[in-house]
Amino acid sequence: MTILQLHDVAKSFGEGSQRVDAVRGVTFAVGRGEVVALAGPSGSGKSTLLALAGALLSPTSGAITVDGKDITRYGARARTRYRRDRVGFVFQGSNMVPFLTARENLLLVGEFGGIDRSALRRRADELLEKLDLAGVRDQIATRLSGGERQRVAIARALMRDPALLLVDEPTASLNLELGIRVVDALVNEVHVRNKACIMVTHDDRMARRADRLVEIRDGQVLAG
């Protein structure tokens, strides 16, 4: 079953001689329980495509559907709700609140949207256990290793049970061993929880751990 579908999506910035076509006529889909690695050189449109799928940007043309709903038709409030409830973001840096513990960082995200606090605590503990972080749940963020912080970031992205995970270079600051652990944890959670995931990466070793590779050059998808 398809969760995310992009159909002939384009995104341009500027006008006239200053116009830049960052994404040009992109069409592809991501299914439930699938991790798609999005690869390409710097400036190829990877991050723009991720921002479009996450409704951080609106396309110049084309349609983007998530669970059959065209998010390009959403107004500002609906887009905010979509990002809050349907998308989990994982960025290059873990972006944790440094003076909070691993568990508190998860609970902070979950509090937006009126979820019962006891249910939030159970979900946070479940995710930390699944990602082999139960032993550091009460450690403040500054005392966690790079790999632990990135796994906390994955757990945080899953707190609201999103349909779609959008992951931007999650291993950029990690060594190979830690990078593999982080990506394997991400892939496992997507498979077990039946989510859809796009993972931007420049590392072929990480891309090979995904279910499928999509290559993008000059704003256009070449394979996948």
Side-chain angles (χ1 to χ4, degrees):
M1 178 182 175
T2 298
I3 288 184
L4 172 69
Q5 173 74 58
L6 292 88
H7 179 70
D8 201 22
V9 171
K11 178 63 179 179
S12 299
F13 299 96
E15 297 180 356
S17 62
Q18 301 300 312
R19 175 176 167 140
V20 175
D21 295 320
V23 171
R24 301 187 291 160
V26 166
T27 296
F28 77 92
V30 186
R32 191 175 293 279
E34 183 180 33
V35 178
V36 172
L38 185 63
S42 178
S44 60
K46 301 187 302 295
S47 294
T48 300
L49 202 58
L50 220 60
L52 290 166
L56 295 170
L57 292 174
S58 297
T60 304
S61 60
I64 302 171
T65 61
V66 176
D67 280 341
K69 297 179 180 179
D70 187 351
I71 67 170
T72 61
R73 297 179 179 272
Y74 285 176
R77 287 185 180 179
R79 289 163 64 85
T80 298
R81 286 194 299 270
Y82 164 74
R83 289 191 296 266
R84 184 192 68 192
D85 298 335
R86 305 297 289 158
V87 185
F89 295 95
V90 182
F91 300 106
Q92 288 186 35
S94 59
N95 295 322
M96 295 176 64
V97 180
F99 53 82
L100 296 181
T101 67
R103 189 177 192 238
E104 288 168 343
N105 268 276
L106 268 61
L107 294 174
L108 181 65
V109 173
E111 286 177 351
F112 297 100
I115 302 175
D116 176 73
R117 189 161 181 82
S118 62
L120 284 177
R121 288 194 291 267
R122 287 194 300 270
R123 180 148 181 81
D125 290 343
E126 175 196 0
L127 287 168
L128 291 168
E129 179 74 31
K130 287 275 188 178
L131 291 166
D132 195 23
L133 292 164
V136 297
R137 76 171 197 174
D138 296 320
Q139 291 279 2
I140 63 172
T142 53
R143 294 185 178 178
L144 300 177
S145 70
E148 288 167 343
R149 286 194 295 270
Q150 282 301 83
R151 280 182 285 144
V152 170
I154 293 169
R156 183 179 56 193
L158 290 164
M159 273 296 288
R160 299 190 65 84
D161 197 27
L164 178 63
L165 287 173
L166 300 175
V167 184
D168 192 3
E169 299 280 12
T171 65
S173 60
L174 305 178
N175 63 36
L176 177 59
E177 181 181 355
L178 285 177
I180 288 173
R181 287 190 66 190
V182 165
V183 171
D184 283 351
L186 172 68
V187 171
N188 181 67
E189 288 302 303
V190 170
H191 291 168
V192 169
R193 296 177 183 277
N194 224 17
K195 307 302 181 185
C197 176
I198 300 177
M199 176 179 68
V200 168
T201 183
H202 69 282
D203 191 329
D204 290 342
R205 296 166 299 186
M206 302 306 161
R208 287 195 296 268
R209 309 187 87 80
D211 300 302
R212 181 160 54 98
L213 174 65
V214 170
E215 295 184 71
I216 185 169
R217 297 286 189 280
D218 298 322
Q220 293 182 300
V221 166
L222 302 182

